[in-house]
Amino acid sequence: MRLPVKLKQGAWPAWLCRLLPSGPDPTPLAGPEPPAGRAEFARLVSALKVGATWKTTAPGRHRDADQAALGLLAAAEPTVLDVGAADGVTSLELMEQMQGCFARYYVTDAFLEVGFAQQGRRGYFLGPGGEVLLGVGPRLLAYGEMAGAGPLSRWLAGRLLSGPAPGVQARRLRLVQPELERAARQDHRIVIQAYDVFRPWPGPPLDLIKAANLLNPEYFGREQLALALGHLWRSLRPQGLLLLVDNVGPAPEDMCFSVLGKGQRRWAVRAQAHGGARAAGLAAELEY
Ligand SMILES: C[S@@+](CC[C@H](N)C(=O)[O-])C[C@H]1O[C@@H](n2cnc3c(N)ncnc32)[C@H](O)[C@@H]1O
């Protein structure tokens, strides 16, 4: 990120926020009442970046991809893994498309929660090691990744990224849609758990794996992507499917996807749209 500082939307005129880099303030996620509505919750979670990846998500952006995968699925009551699900809004939608016909649905992400500390008019979103991911001031948002930042941005971001004063307590903040948390409490088939795609899947064999906007060459190198694809291959049943999705832009035609199955020691393309997901090209080169 070249510019770690953005204008806080709502604190400046809308025209200025359109002209200069700006973003929403995700602090309401830490309020006593989480934002009402799936779309608003997803919009605020999307303002966070942990490590290499943004938590960008939104409702309604995978419908055709989900439909294509479900149409090819052999299992009547599949076991599903959604990996890198962010707040799980797209998981809720896939469950709805499945009309509840699944044996188990694992909603997973490497970062289901962050730390949060409030000090005066500043809020701090903290990563797993206590590092500042995002500092929110009265007028500015400052992101912790300073690589490539110019001196002005560094100066502006400096105070926001110095973090809360010693003694200011941080608390854990869940980034999962409240509606999904409720569904998981009521339905034991829905499991929300932390899972890192670069580690072997510790759960049961799977019929459908969905990895949307995660196995992205802008986030991860070739070796890492191959490692993740290997773990997913080994966790998938012989007739299972891997759905890869890339939303490369906001329009429906910007949603590229590939549905991969297991061929002879190789991934085989069962369906794709708009050129397929970017990781599918690498997947085609791998042999198991
Ligand atoms: C861009 S979001 C995609 C959210 C959702 N799948 C969608 O397409 O709307 C990428 C998500 O992957 C998660 N992530 C990053 N690294 C991961 C890893 N190694 N294993 C699992 N999830 C990871 C991030 O925390 C983030 O929530």
Side-chain angles (χ1 to χ4, degrees):
M1 178 188 283
R2 284 187 6 259
L3 272 177
V5 179
K6 292 184 179 184
L7 303 185
K8 184 166 104 174
Q9 288 172 0
W12 302 85
W15 64 265
L16 192 59
C17 291
R18 279 195 297 275
L19 200 68
L20 295 173
S22 69
D25 171 8
T27 307
L29 293 170
E33 285 295 321
R38 292 181 183 182
E40 181 58 7
F41 193 93
R43 190 178 77 91
L44 298 188
V45 168
S46 298
L48 295 169
K49 187 183 189 204
V50 188
T53 54
W54 287 93
K55 294 197 72 73
T56 315
T57 191
R61 64 184 196 149
H62 297 156
R63 201 166 295 125
D64 290 353
D66 290 348
Q67 211 56 60
L70 293 179
L72 292 166
L73 207 55
E77 295 224 325
T79 300
V80 183
L81 168 64
D82 207 327
V83 61
D87 71 344
V89 69
T90 57
S91 313
L92 279 168
E93 292 180 329
L94 179 52
M95 283 179 220
E96 284 160 3
Q97 287 208 60
M98 298 178 84
Q99 300 181 333
C101 291
F102 49 82
R104 201 148 272 225
Y105 197 119
Y106 293 92
V107 182
T108 71
D109 197 282
F111 309 106
L112 290 169
E113 57 184 38
V114 290
F116 180 77
Q118 181 86 45
Q119 186 181 3
R121 295 172 72 198
R122 298 201 192 100
Y124 300 94
F125 291 84
L126 307 170
E131 72 280 15
V132 179
L133 303 172
L134 172 63
V136 181
R139 312 269 281 176
L140 294 177
L141 308 174
Y143 284 88
E145 197 181 306
M146 298 289 283
L152 180 63
S153 311
R154 281 172 188 270
W155 179 76
L156 283 170
R159 272 176 73 186
L160 284 175
L161 294 180
S162 59
V168 174
Q169 282 294 321
R171 63 186 176 87
R172 287 164 45 192
L173 177 64
R174 287 279 281 187
L175 300 174
V176 179
Q177 289 272 340
E179 188 183 342
L180 180 58
E181 302 269 32
R182 279 195 298 278
R185 278 196 295 273
Q186 287 160 9
D187 183 343
H188 74 278
R189 299 173 308 155
I190 302 171
V191 181
I192 304 170
Q193 73 178 52
Y195 168 57
D196 177 349
V197 74
F198 300 117
R199 296 181 179 275
W201 167 241
L206 301 161
D207 299 295
L208 176 62
I209 302 172
K210 177 173 173 182
N213 299 298
L214 170 62
L215 300 182
N216 178 335
E218 283 159 19
Y219 289 156
F220 303 114
R222 209 184 141 78
E223 273 185 25
Q224 281 179 297
L225 293 175
L227 175 69
L229 286 164
H231 290 318
L232 299 183
W233 173 279
R234 285 181 285 280
S235 61
L236 204 58
R237 287 201 169 105
Q239 303 302 318
L241 296 174
L242 169 63
L243 170 60
L244 299 173
V245 187
D246 288 334
N247 292 86
V248 294
E253 61 273 20
D254 296 332
M255 200 256 302
C256 313
F257 72 83
S258 302
V259 182
L260 305 181
K262 282 182 156 181
Q264 286 285 25
R265 300 175 60 202
R266 286 176 171 276
W267 293 105
V269 178
R270 303 268 193 256
Q272 65 171 37
H274 307 125
R278 286 169 290 180
L282 169 63
E285 297 170 20
L286 303 172
E287 195 172 293
Y288 301 102

